[in-house]
Amino acid sequence: MRMPLGAMILTTSVALAGCSDRGLRDLHSSSLGPEEFNVMPVKPLTIPQNTSALPPPAPGQANLVDTNPPGEAVASLGGNPGALNPAGGIPASDAALVAQAGRYGVPENTRAALAAEDAAFRDRQARMSNFRLFPVDRYEQAYRKQTLDPFRANRQARDRGLGTPSAPPENE
């Protein structure tokens, strides 16, 4: 018995849709497991050259093999990682900037308030997105009006005579 062409196309498309991957940009996680992007690898253990010159152990002190992403980023860009405050506080060079930014006060629940506002914004922007036949990039759908075109911004800055970093061509 021969299958009609329409039924064959429909069966093939349903089978292929079942193989799709939701991707990293889907804002709703169905996983109950650990977040794989929050795992930071540690540096390999090393034996110091002079063990008598080591500082005495102190509770709460950073381990020599612990990673320091901000310091490593500054060092990889050619900066001085020693200028960063290892205790996680504000470096002295940024104190004036932080004071100016917080001159009208800083609410204690900023992160929670922003998370709630963002969830409400995404719900308003993607109200009918639960009813869809094909996968939708929810991130792009919710933030479409706020997206910055980097090539256009780069052209505008160059047209104004501002120094801009090198950028890849638009067609790649």
Side-chain angles (χ1 to χ4, degrees):
M1 169 170 25
R2 291 182 48 141
M3 183 182 284
L5 181 62
M8 189 166 59
I9 291 173
L10 180 64
T11 304
T12 304
S13 64
V14 168
L16 289 176
C19 297
S20 70
D21 184 17
R22 290 171 41 163
L24 294 175
R25 292 182 66 143
D26 190 0
L27 299 176
H28 301 286
S29 175
S30 62
S31 171
L32 299 176
E35 175 62 42
E36 61 269 15
F37 294 108
N38 285 338
V39 177
M40 290 192 334
V42 295
K43 297 176 186 173
L45 293 175
T46 58
I47 298 176
Q49 296 289 338
N50 185 1
T51 56
S52 62
L54 289 175
Q61 186 179 12
N63 191 341
L64 295 176
V65 296
D66 287 343
T67 59
N68 179 10
E72 292 171 7
V74 168
S76 67
L77 294 172
N80 179 11
L84 295 176
N85 188 346
I90 301 165
S93 60
D94 292 341
L97 174 66
V98 172
Q100 182 68 17
R103 66 188 178 275
Y104 299 121
V106 179
E108 293 295 322
N109 64 343
T110 301
R111 290 184 189 268
L114 283 176
E117 290 174 11
D118 187 53
F121 174 77
R122 283 187 278 125
D123 287 343
R124 281 193 313 273
Q125 296 298 319
R127 188 159 296 178
M128 296 298 287
S129 67
N130 290 335
F131 307 106
R132 57 188 151 89
L133 296 175
F134 303 103
V136 176
D137 185 355
R138 291 181 187 271
Y139 188 90
E140 195 276 330
Q141 182 185 33
Y143 295 102
R144 182 178 296 131
K145 294 177 185 173
Q146 298 176 7
T147 303
L148 174 68
D149 179 11
F151 299 109
R152 182 171 167 248
N154 198 13
R155 276 193 312 272
Q156 287 176 343
R158 286 182 180 170
D159 292 344
R160 292 182 183 149
L162 299 173
T164 60
S166 62
E170 290 185 45
N171 57 2
E172 286 186 20

